[in-house]
Amino acid sequence: MKSISDWLDDKVDDIINTPGFEESSSGFEREAEILRAQAEADGFTTKDLEDACGGDIAAYLMERQNALTQSEMRQKIEDDPYGK
């Protein structure tokens, strides 16, 4: 069986795929509920998932979204540092 960390990485990649900064984790509550249900269906407890997310699933998703956005921005700057 996969570890919760590996499982979470796979699932988050499915959820987080559109760059964009978010300022509030409330926008991720629905996704957090879906993720929680998927975790339970795959044999993990809610506690397992919360622990893997640092205690707050929605905030974890928001942080991952923002990290993706920052990465995308850095890549664009590296690819075209003068914005041409």
Side-chain angles (χ1 to χ4, degrees):
M1 182 175 179
K2 265 186 184 179
S3 72
I4 185 69
S5 296
D6 290 340
W7 180 91
L8 183 58
D9 284 341
D10 290 345
K11 293 297 181 181
V12 169
D13 287 344
D14 292 341
I15 294 171
I16 306 298
N17 56 22
T18 305
F21 283 112
E22 296 290 333
E23 295 182 18
S24 171
S25 65
S26 64
F28 292 93
E29 291 297 333
R30 186 175 130 302
E31 287 85 356
E33 288 299 321
I34 292 167
L35 195 61
R36 191 175 288 113
Q38 290 175 338
E40 290 176 0
D42 288 344
F44 298 105
T45 66
T46 297
K47 174 129 175 57
D48 292 335
L49 181 59
E50 288 172 347
D51 288 348
C53 291
D56 187 332
I57 301 166
Y60 176 84
L61 293 173
M62 181 187 74
E63 289 168 8
R64 291 284 301 262
Q65 173 69 54
N66 289 341
L68 171 68
T69 300
Q70 289 173 335
S71 176
E72 293 276 328
M73 289 174 62
R74 277 191 301 270
Q75 188 61 47
K76 284 181 182 179
I77 290 169
E78 288 173 10
D79 290 346
D80 186 10
Y82 301 106
K84 294 182 182 181

